[in-house]
Amino acid sequence: MPSVFETAAAASAIPITFATKATWKSICAGFPAQAQQFAQANGFAAKPGACLTLPSADGQIAQVVFGLEDETGKSRDLFRPGALPGLLPPGVYRFANAPHDRRLATLAFALGSYRFSRYRKVDAPEVKLVPPDGIDIADITRMAEAAALARDLINTPANDMGPEQLALAAQTLATRFGADFNCIVGDDLVRQNFPLIHAVGMASPRAPRLIDFTWGDPAHPKVTLVGKGVCFDTGGLDLKPSTGMLIMKKDMGGAANVLALASMVMDARLKVRLRVLIPAVENAVGGNAFRPLDIFPSRKGLSVEIGNTDAEGRLVLADALALADEEKPDLLVDLGTLTGAARVALGPDLPPFYTNDETLALDVARCAKAENDPLWRLPLWPAYDAWLDSKVANLNNAPSGGFAGSIVCALFLQRFVEAAKSWLHVDIYGWTPQAKPARPEGGECQAARAIYKLLGERYG
Ligand code: BES
Ligand code: MN
Ligand code: ZN
């Protein structure tokens, strides 16, 4: 990804002035008379998101004005400047005054420059930004590149992003940072005791696998990231309706975001011993597919009755979490596109997170806010745990009732985590259904920047 930042041409960069309805009048009064007239003739009133290029006397672009929400406004989109790369003519720009948050505006500019270009030539914005002073541009670049990685992986359709290709992407990343890479494929999953990963993935001609890489000083605190890597989720035999299946190429969004997070952690050389685990499978339909009311053992030893083959994400995560838990990590994090219920509760832009570690919960909420990577805590409500009971096995993956779907899923996963000192689970969506500033439609980086910030505070 070519950088959107330009440090050489600072002097000649076109200034972007941020204005709100409240500040516009006085800002405009400071412009040359001709520019004032031009803005007025265009009816520019600094409405949030409104953009106007002002000409110089010789017909060049002298400057740009861009509308933001009032400082005191109820909701301010700190990523609004992320719309600029899609609005501005080619050129090199700089911020002439301060947006609501300079660092997040700079990040938004980079995030908003992303285009998915794997399958056809796209007109990427030829818009560059001279970064404002005092911004850690290496860190911003690291975050933008991580987001682009997650988005590319999610946007790539399942025919080109099966378990094998996902493993290759993970291996490429691992190799780049000198991590130790390992992958358990197909029937070896049974031999090495990952029955649930195997059960979910066995109906696909594209063999299931467990991706596993480790990086960093073994003496450092152990941080383990687990990501749901369902490369396509048909629902299995409890097949999804076509509307529900349509965007299920994104069902490896947890894996994509774990890789994005890992790339930031490794690039920033945080003082952790990082481990990444990704169960990569395709939840397919076939004569050898797992069935409703099948019962499988799990790595942890608990038997699991299948209430619904569409609740496959928690199954593959269960075995991966059990493995992660075996080395008692200091912090265990899992991300996955696990439930539609999370979307019903909070919508696509606000993933719920779960933890019993109160300090961690506060830190996650604070970092999510600081990074404009919103997350919202939901409870691991103990009274609902009994809903997971099965009459014939240790637990059921999709109890009937259907209440509190995201919480029930989190409680299911919790049964497989015991020894980790601290555990965080995030039920992400991984997708922007409708383009917003800094967030093009399609695959999305969610939770990774918030957690990166948290890890940076603790282990930077
Ligand atoms: N991948 C889906 C969850 C999902 C669906 C995320 C749509 C985002 C958008 C997951 O595997 C799934 O199908 N979950 C089921 C669980 C149910 C069968 C208990 C769901 O949420 O309906
Ligand atoms: Mn499913
Ligand atoms: Zn799924």
Side-chain angles (χ1 to χ4, degrees), residues 227-250:
K228 171 176 171 181
V230 175
C231 293
F232 196 79
D233 183 11
T234 65
L237 292 175
D238 283 338
L239 195 69
K240 284 185 184 297
S242 54
T243 45
M245 202 190 297
L246 187 63
I247 56 171
M248 281 302 124
K249 69 172 182 180
K250 80 168 175 78

Side-chain angles (χ1 to χ4, degrees), residues 228 233 235 240 244 247-248 250-251 283 308 310-314 337-341 343 397-399 427-429:
K228 171 176 171 181
D233 183 11
K240 284 185 184 297
I247 56 171
M248 281 302 124
K250 80 168 175 78
D251 216 19
N283 190 17
N308 192 314
D310 201 6
E312 84 298 337
R314 65 195 73 179
T337 50
L338 283 152
T339 69
R343 248 47 54 196
N397 78 327
D427 193 345
I428 65 168
Y429 195 61

Side-chain angles (χ1 to χ4, degrees), residues 385-408:
D385 192 67
W387 292 356
L388 293 166
D389 290 348
S390 156
K391 290 190 177 122
V392 287
N394 291 127
L395 70 169
N396 187 299
N397 78 327
S400 56
F403 293 123
S406 179
I407 294 176
V408 168

Side-chain angles (χ1 to χ4, degrees), residues 12-87:
S12 60
I14 301 165
I16 300 170
T17 300
F18 296 100
T20 71
K21 281 195 200 122
T23 62
W24 169 236
K25 226 179 136 191
S26 72
I27 286 175
C28 189
F31 287 170
Q34 207 192 9
Q36 290 188 33
Q37 184 54 44
F38 188 85
Q40 208 194 354
N42 276 276
F44 186 81
K47 285 203 187 109
C51 184
L52 183 70
T53 52
L54 295 166
S56 57
D58 60 353
Q60 301 295 308
I61 296 172
Q63 59 168 323
V64 173
V65 276
F66 185 69
L68 296 178
E69 298 86 348
D70 279 321
E71 197 67 52
T72 53
K74 259 192 213 138
S75 81
R76 295 178 308 157
D77 181 356
L78 303 183
F79 273 177
R80 200 170 272 291
L84 284 164
L87 296 169

